[in-house]
Amino acid sequence: MKKLLTDTFKDFAEKECIGSSPLYRELSLKIAEDEDILDLCTEVEKSQPIPNLLFGAVHYLLLKGTEHELKDYYPSLVDFPKRDRYLYRIFKDFCLENKEEIKVILKNNIVQTNEVRRCAYLFPVFSYIYAQTQKPLSLIEIGTSAGLQLLWDQYAYSYGTGKTYGKKDSAVHLESKVREGRIPEHLLNDVPPVAERTGVDLNIVDVTVTEEKLWLEALIWPEHADRRRNFLRAARKLQQQPLALIEGDGVSLLPEIAAEMSEDSTLCIFHTHVANQFTKEDKNRVEEEIRKLSEQRRVFHVYNNMQDRQLHIDSVFRRETKTNTLGETDGHGRWFDWKI
């Protein structure tokens, strides 16, 4: 178990943190060799990304007001964070001093990073689907967390060209870049109509509850001020426009939810950076449920992390699937490919 945890933190440092979080990279490399902190991590459920959960727990306690000199190293808490050789010693001291509280969080919380900026690629994806069907979209999001991505049509977008698209006067303005390829301009000029939207998750997060909103904020890495700003603005938008969010197994509930969707609409089932937490059986189940739904109507399935990391758009009708592959997407939505 310890060897696995060591490798997990090393991989996290090198694959996730480089160019994104110097703080978490430095801490991860030290944690990988520290048996005391690795012992603490054995409290985490196997399906959860352990580094994210541990760092989220620490960040949550700091944001909540736990007094400790560690806060002086977090850009999310101070304007001029420290960077010196004492960082890890102070981090470990915080973890051991707050060990029991951290254990409770590791046992009871899960990683549900509701990354709003992923909507920067969902917007043209749903425009691409609407261009084919010319029918309002009925949306079902599996692993919806707080539901912030379900409001993609309420946000403004920029792609490094100097132009703004989507709902241009929105307080939520998401900026991203197309790394490879080019989005056809006609897909960006209008916002597709949405008939209905429903989110389902094993653990719905209610952003009107202070502690739950704070947990989502804690999962945002300390250096990522733009992600934090996007989240807080989108959370305010959601508070003004409540959604239909259902707690339960998204795959099992698909037939019931889909049956409530208007037949004169385009059914779109989507999930981003969620399927990595699915078992192989879960992945097979979601694909089979979509094939069953396609016996009655055409279904679009938008997803990544099923067979690979790339984003796919499946059109399924009468159990036959036609797949288009968009390409790679950054986990935080900073960039994506458009290869269709």
Side-chain angles (χ1 to χ4, degrees):
M1 179 66 176
K2 291 281 181 64
K3 174 66 166 60
L4 180 60
L5 285 172
T6 292
D7 292 343
T8 297
F9 276 97
K10 285 181 177 178
D11 285 348
F12 184 75
E14 302 304 333
K15 295 179 181 178
E16 304 293 337
C17 295
I18 288 180
S20 188
S21 178
L23 177 69
Y24 281 177
R25 182 171 186 269
E26 182 177 343
L27 292 174
S28 293
L29 291 173
K30 295 285 180 60
I31 291 170
E33 308 297 337
D34 190 321
E35 290 204 7
D36 291 332
I37 304 303
L38 293 179
D39 277 338
L40 190 57
C41 293
T42 58
E43 303 290 336
V44 179
E45 290 288 334
K46 288 183 180 179
S47 63
Q48 290 298 302
I50 294 172
N52 303 71
L53 198 54
L54 175 65
F55 289 136
V58 171
H59 198 191
Y60 174 81
L61 292 176
L62 289 172
L63 288 170
K64 198 174 179 182
T66 302
E67 282 299 325
H68 195 277
E69 59 185 317
L70 179 62
K71 71 179 181 181
D72 294 332
Y73 292 82
Y74 276 64
S76 52
L77 290 158
V78 294
D79 292 332
F80 302 101
K82 289 183 179 179
R83 285 303 301 274
D84 58 38
R85 61 192 177 93
Y86 303 111
L87 167 62
Y88 188 70
R89 177 181 63 77
I90 292 170
F91 175 84
K92 181 174 180 177
D93 178 73
F94 180 90
C95 289
L96 296 180
E97 189 175 306
N98 297 279
K99 187 175 182 177
E100 296 309 314
E101 285 183 272
I102 291 174
K103 278 185 177 181
V104 170
I105 295 171
L106 297 182
K107 284 181 178 179
N108 295 290
N109 289 40
I110 59 177
V111 174
Q112 293 177 284
T113 308
N114 213 168
E115 183 51 66
V116 185
R117 195 160 47 191
R118 291 176 194 156
C119 293
Y121 56 76
L122 289 177
F123 165 44
V125 162
F126 288 129
S127 294
Y128 172 79
I129 293 171
Y130 178 69
Q132 297 178 58
T133 68
Q134 293 297 303
K135 289 184 177 181
L137 308 179
S138 287
L139 308 171
I140 302 174
E141 184 183 18
I142 298 174
T144 195
S145 185
L148 301 182
Q149 290 182 177
L150 279 166
L151 291 177
W152 59 268
D153 59 323
Q154 301 299 307
Y155 307 147
Y157 301 93
S158 296
Y159 299 97
T161 63
K163 294 184 179 180
T164 300
Y165 304 96
K167 190 172 182 182
K168 298 178 183 179
D169 62 348
S170 176
V172 183
H173 190 155
L174 306 175
E175 300 179 56
S176 187
K177 291 184 179 180
V178 181
R179 188 183 67 170
E180 292 184 27
R182 186 179 67 85
I183 308 171
E185 189 77 9
H186 73 274
L187 294 182
L188 300 173
N189 287 333
D190 295 302
V191 180
V194 177
E196 301 152 289
R197 58 189 106 213
T198 299
V200 59
D201 200 299
L202 288 170
N203 183 53
I204 293 294
V205 180
D206 185 350
V207 294
T208 66
V209 177
T210 301
E211 289 77 10
E212 295 190 27
K213 181 182 174 184
L214 194 64
W215 173 243
L216 286 187
E217 186 177 350
L219 290 171
I220 298 170
W221 298 2
E223 295 96 336
H224 297 181
D226 55 342
R227 292 179 62 206
R228 190 159 49 254
R229 180 185 65 246
N230 291 337
F231 165 71
L232 293 173
R233 289 179 178 177
R236 282 196 294 270
K237 183 70 178 174
L238 183 58
Q239 289 167 348
Q240 297 163 5
Q241 186 176 338
L243 294 170
L245 303 178
I246 300 171
E247 193 157 276
D249 176 15
V251 183
S252 300
L253 291 170
L254 263 183
E256 179 184 336
I257 298 170
E260 298 296 319
M261 299 294 189
S262 167
E263 293 184 8
D264 193 29
S265 67
T266 300
L267 181 59
C268 300
I269 297 165
F270 73 101
H271 47 92
T272 61
H273 297 273
V274 169
N276 57 299
Q277 297 184 38
F278 288 1
T279 64
K280 185 177 180 181
E281 181 186 18
D282 289 335
K283 293 176 182 180
N284 291 335
R285 282 172 59 221
V286 72
E287 290 179 332
E288 178 57 24
E289 289 298 338
I290 288 171
R291 283 192 290 268
K292 287 179 183 177
L293 291 172
S294 77
E295 293 171 1
Q296 305 298 323
R297 64 190 297 180
R298 188 180 186 187
V299 182
F300 285 89
H301 182 202
V302 179
Y303 61 92
N304 60 6
N305 288 6
M306 291 278 278
Q307 301 83 18
D308 54 45
R309 293 171 63 92
Q310 298 194 81
L311 190 73
H312 303 279
I313 308 170
D314 287 356
S315 173
V316 192
F317 186 53
R318 293 178 180 171
R319 300 187 71 89
E320 291 194 11
T321 301
K322 178 182 177 182
T323 299
N324 282 298
T325 301
L326 197 74
E328 296 283 347
T329 62
D330 172 61
H332 298 145
R334 294 171 297 184
W335 56 262
F336 59 94
D337 298 334
W338 190 272
K339 297 181 178 180
I340 57 176

